[in-house]
Amino acid sequence: MNHSFAVDSFTAVAVEPIPAGAADGDSVAIVVTTYNHAHFLADALASITRQTRAADDVLVVDDGSTDDPAAVVAQFPGVRLLRTPNRGLAAARNAGIAAIDTRYVVFLDADDVLLPDAVSLSLACMAANPDAAMACGSYRFAGADLTPCSGPVEVRVGPQGHAALLRGNQIGMNAVVLFDREKLVECGSFDPALPRCEDYDAYLRIAARHRIASHRGLVALYRLHGANMSQDAAEMLAWNRRVLDRHRPRDDDPVAMRAWTLGMQAQVAAFANAVWTERGTRGRDKWLQRRRMMAIAPWPTTKAALRQTAIRLLPRPLADTLREFRRRRIAASVGRIDFGDLARIKPVSEGFGFRRGTPVDRFYIERFLTRNAPLVTGAVLEAADDKYSRRFGQGITRQEVLDISPDLPGATIIGDLSKPGVLPADTFDCIILTQTLQYVYELKTAVEQLHQSLRPGGVVLATMPALSPIDTAEWDWHWIFTARVVTRLFGEAFGDENVEVCSEGNAFVATCFLQGVAIEDVGEQWLVPNDPSFPICITVKARRAA
């Protein structure tokens, strides 16, 4: 069986294609749009019949063609045909969405084809990335006779999907995308006002609200036949820039604005290069496109011409080697795990991610405190400093700071949390302990002291590390926690009915945290899905019985 890879971030996780019938409930429709492409349609439909995981519904949407797609559809039992007036590609796809009821949908243009594992690989990627809105695979360019004429074009969206798409349409071919239909509709489907780049516009809207997953499996062939809409480089450049103008970020979002600015610049270079490649139109049309691009962007077009001319003057074996080297810089060989920046013994950054930005465990700590902010009131004790009390507190009447060192500025209670008498009894309405208990050896005694120091009805809001780098430089780190041990530890002191414990994290977040990758590197969308098998943070809310 072939293998491919579901890419979560900087690494690739091996997954197998899902065989037919193996994914109950993961129904898939394939919507084929056609406009005067009946001569290509049979190839597209035949590629669907060859799927190793059969589609649950196949619908051809005829966008007001003057040829005869019905005659082609009649050759394929079970394929439905929907005829609409000619309103453009976006409207045709939207009509297809309205006519299906599956969980997922793939859109295939009539002049392209799917490879046999397309549905299976995309479903496997979705299974590895729960709640993602899209799963994107790889494709190859092919000639009019469907003979491949390029290496794999790999989609590398990464965890910062929206920023990546602002830098350019990383996906390129709509047929490589498996959409979650409900999320696509929720984000507005395709805009009929856009005659071109309607898919790019949809990707940007989706990525602004949801996660996008990608895998390295080959799922489609992009047929180049000389009349492709995408081959008009000057026109595509104009519409790409219009779409990016629509999605200009706010000025107070510097990361997105930087990506958008790079995207506006990169579009020019990309399409200038496109008119000097061997693909697409020929003869007078190609010459006219080059003139138009030269008028729009003289220097990028000149550079592209010089680069392509230089490559063509080289002996064919050397030119092919250079092209392959450049491709491999962008896309690793299919069938190999791409460790990328993680192929290292030392982590990407030491110090939990503080050196790069905000450690990923802070996302869970601060979300936990945000949910429980109304409890941070009255007499409050916090370990090490009072930053979270000041940030989340409401109506604090007394603020104490606990630390074991007398040299800490601002500390009002000095001593070991596990020693009796350090904390006053029956005093506090709320105690905040974030990432503290791993340094306390006598855990059971410490939790008992916390219980005794609370007033009846008071709460402890605590977080503890699960999967984590170990800080050995300054403190004596004793413990790593699980949800089960925290439940038992606090339950014995507070009573099981007064304790709420959650584990937070997933495999992707665990990898990031161990490598010192910061929230700013990945964004927050990939931090939300929770997998109890890969916790990096345990949170507990324990209340002293009234």
Side-chain angles (χ1 to χ4, degrees):
M1 180 177 288
N2 293 331
H3 288 72
S4 188
F5 299 86
V7 178
D8 270 322
S9 62
F10 313 102
T11 60
V13 180
V15 295
E16 292 187 350
I18 296 179
D24 294 336
D26 289 343
S27 54
V28 180
I30 300 178
V31 174
V32 184
T33 52
T34 183
Y35 174 67
N36 292 337
H37 276 166
H39 52 298
F40 292 133
L41 183 58
D43 290 334
L45 295 178
S47 75
I48 295 173
T49 66
R50 292 192 289 266
Q51 290 300 300
T52 56
R53 197 287 193 186
D56 301 280
D57 189 9
V58 181
L59 174 68
V60 175
V61 180
D62 173 17
D63 184 34
S65 299
T66 57
D67 55 14
D68 190 10
V72 180
V73 171
Q75 303 171 30
F76 295 87
V79 176
R80 298 188 293 140
L81 176 65
L82 173 64
R83 288 180 165 173
T84 67
N86 179 231
R87 294 176 296 179
L89 186 54
R93 288 177 179 157
N94 290 343
I97 295 170
I100 60 175
D101 61 0
T102 54
R103 181 177 179 183
Y104 299 114
V105 58
V106 174
F107 297 97
L108 177 65
D109 294 342
D111 51 346
D112 297 324
V113 298
L114 297 176
L115 296 176
D117 283 337
V119 172
S120 177
L121 290 171
S122 295
L123 281 176
C125 184
M126 278 293 197
N129 295 279
D131 300 323
M134 298 161 47
C136 313
S138 304
Y139 63 97
R140 296 178 72 182
F141 288 102
D145 62 353
L146 293 179
T147 300
C149 60
S150 79
V153 181
E154 295 189 359
V155 175
R156 294 297 187 88
V157 177
Q160 291 273 38
H162 189 243
L165 287 166
L166 286 174
R167 289 192 294 270
N169 186 355
Q170 314 293 331
I171 298 172
M173 182 186 187
N174 200 49
V176 303
V177 180
L178 178 78
F179 291 93
D180 182 307
R181 184 177 59 86
E182 288 188 359
K183 289 184 173 67
L184 173 60
V185 172
E186 168 204 322
C187 293
S189 300
F190 300 95
D191 186 352
L194 292 173
R196 298 173 187 259
C197 304
E198 75 295 326
D199 51 354
Y200 186 25
D201 175 67
Y203 305 152
L204 283 163
R205 280 186 277 110
I206 292 170
R209 302 174 65 173
H210 298 286
R211 292 183 303 112
I212 296 177
S214 57
H215 63 90
R216 296 166 61 194
L218 280 166
V219 299
L221 294 180
Y222 190 131
R223 189 199 308 246
L224 299 171
H225 48 74
N228 302 82
M229 182 186 297
S230 61
Q231 295 306 304
D232 188 338
E235 193 71 10
M236 289 297 294
L237 172 61
W239 282 102
N240 265 269
R241 293 173 71 85
R242 290 182 194 180
V243 166
L244 274 176
D245 276 333
R246 281 184 167 198
H247 295 272
R248 189 182 191 278
R250 302 187 315 270
D251 291 335
D252 60 356
D253 188 347
V255 174
M257 179 55 71
R258 172 64 175 164
W260 181 85
T261 303
L262 290 173
M264 292 295 277
Q265 297 168 350
Q267 296 288 351
V268 178
F271 286 105
N273 188 67
V275 299
W276 288 95
T277 64
E278 294 294 337
R279 301 186 188 121
T281 55
R282 295 285 187 272
R284 179 175 174 80
D285 288 341
K286 175 69 76 175
W287 178 78
L288 289 174
Q289 282 196 45
R290 289 173 177 173
R291 285 195 60 183
R292 288 175 65 193
M293 283 302 302
M294 187 66 77
I296 296 169
W299 178 231
T301 307
T302 300
K303 287 196 296 184
L306 292 173
R307 181 169 54 251
Q308 294 296 330
T309 301
I311 290 176
R312 292 192 191 103
L313 291 175
L314 293 173
R316 183 63 178 268
L318 180 56
D320 289 344
T321 299
L322 288 174
R323 290 191 182 101
E324 180 66 9
F325 175 75
R326 183 174 181 274
R327 186 184 71 80
R328 285 178 179 272
R329 286 181 60 198
I330 301 171
S333 301
V334 173
R336 296 182 181 277
I337 294 177
D338 178 12
F339 286 99
D341 289 336
L342 301 188
R344 54 197 302 139
I345 302 303
K346 291 288 187 179
V348 171
S349 176
E350 295 181 343
F352 302 95
F354 278 111
R355 297 180 184 179
R356 298 181 64 84
T358 309
V360 293
D361 67 337
R362 301 294 122 166
F363 173 78
Y364 303 108
I365 294 168
E366 294 179 6
R367 187 172 65 169
F368 169 67
L369 293 174
T370 299
R371 288 198 301 260
N372 292 287
L375 302 177
V376 186
T377 188
V380 177
L381 171 69
E382 185 171 349
D385 57 41
D386 63 351
K387 66 178 181 181
Y388 284 138
S389 299
R390 286 185 284 106
R391 178 173 172 184
F392 297 101
Q394 303 175 20
I396 295 177
T397 59
R398 175 181 175 181
Q399 179 70 62
E400 302 284 357
V401 174
L402 167 70
D403 199 81
I404 198 168
S405 170
D407 299 326
L408 179 74
T412 59
I413 299 176
I414 307 300
D416 186 338
L417 178 60
S418 64
K419 302 301 182 184
V422 170
L423 297 182
D426 305 316
T427 299
F428 298 107
D429 297 291
C430 179
I431 299 175
I432 298 176
L433 289 178
T434 55
Q435 310 303 84
T436 301
L437 289 176
Q438 68 267 29
Y439 301 115
V440 179
Y441 183 71
E442 298 290 347
L443 279 175
K444 186 173 182 180
T445 305
V447 174
E448 290 171 350
Q449 294 303 305
L450 292 171
H451 179 264
Q452 293 174 14
S453 68
L454 288 170
R455 292 172 179 166
V459 294
V460 171
L461 302 176
T463 67
M464 287 141 281
L467 294 173
S468 174
I470 303 299
D471 179 7
T472 59
E474 188 174 357
W475 305 95
D476 292 329
W477 186 307
H478 298 294
W479 306 107
I480 286 291
F481 296 87
T482 66
R484 179 170 294 180
V485 76
V486 172
T487 299
R488 182 170 177 178
L489 181 65
F490 278 82
E492 289 175 353
F494 287 79
D496 291 342
E497 69 278 8
N498 298 314
V499 176
E500 297 178 14
V501 176
C502 294
S503 61
E504 302 278 9
N506 57 55
F508 171 70
V509 178
T511 300
C512 291
F513 194 42
L514 293 174
Q515 287 287 340
V517 174
I519 292 176
E520 289 79 3
D521 291 312
V522 300
E524 294 186 355
Q525 288 181 334
W526 289 79
L527 310 184
V528 174
N530 192 43
D531 185 345
S533 298
F534 298 93
I536 68 163
C537 185
I538 308 296
T539 66
V540 58
K541 178 172 70 175
R543 186 183 298 274
R544 180 174 177 178

